[in-house]
Amino acid sequence: QVRLVESGGEMVQPGGSLRLSCVAPGITMDYYAIGWFRQAPGKEREGVSCISVGDGSILYLDSVKGRFTISRDKVKNTVYLQMNNLKPEDTAVYYCAAESLVWSGENSCPHPTYWGFWGQGTQVTVSS
């Protein structure tokens, strides 16, 4: 069983930055595609960013392009989501997900239903 743990969410003012972390004790995250998703109240879960096995493909939601960056630290076995210039509409619970997925030619992360392993989420609130 793959267990994912997110951290780093908190309240921040508009224009601020946060870095979310996703760790998966007991597995080598390099062997999995990792996705960051978010879900705001009353809205569907949406893919924010995802990184393929081997880091050959990185995808971003259009609304976060240029502001968010996904990355792996292979030594720490951790995947990060660096979020800059945060906006109130970024407020949501952020989840990381893992799966043995491959994709080609996609311009958005695979739908949440394709991801089998999930963390419990971390709350990000952007408010003045």
Side-chain angles (χ1 to χ4, degrees):
Q1 183 72 17
V2 177
R3 182 172 66 93
L4 303 173
V5 181
E6 306 95 335
S7 63
E10 61 181 76
M11 179 177 287
V12 64
Q13 292 187 345
S17 297
L18 286 174
R19 188 178 74 164
L20 305 183
S21 300
C22 175
V23 297
I27 70 162
T28 301
M29 295 183 77
D30 283 0
Y31 298 160
Y32 293 84
I34 304 295
W36 281 100
F37 294 78
R38 67 186 181 188
Q39 188 164 19
K43 295 188 176 181
E44 292 187 354
R45 191 169 297 189
E46 63 179 356
V48 176
S49 182
C50 51
I51 186 167
S52 65
V53 174
D55 303 354
S57 175
I58 294 177
L59 301 172
Y60 293 99
L61 184 67
D62 283 348
S63 63
V64 308
K65 285 180 180 177
R67 300 188 297 123
F68 291 11
T69 304
I70 191 172
S71 63
R72 295 185 190 262
D73 185 325
K74 297 181 180 182
V75 174
K76 295 183 178 179
N77 198 34
T78 302
V79 175
Y80 299 105
L81 184 68
Q82 178 67 44
M83 306 187 296
N84 298 327
N85 190 22
L86 283 160
K87 303 177 180 181
E89 52 264 41
D90 295 318
T91 296
V93 178
Y94 283 70
Y95 301 88
C96 68
E99 188 53 82
S100 298
L101 282 173
V102 294
W103 58 79
S104 177
E106 302 293 330
N107 56 15
S108 62
C109 294
H111 193 270
T113 54
Y114 288 98
W115 300 79
F117 306 105
W118 292 86
Q120 293 188 327
T122 184
Q123 176 70 47
V124 172
T125 302
V126 184
S127 176
S128 56

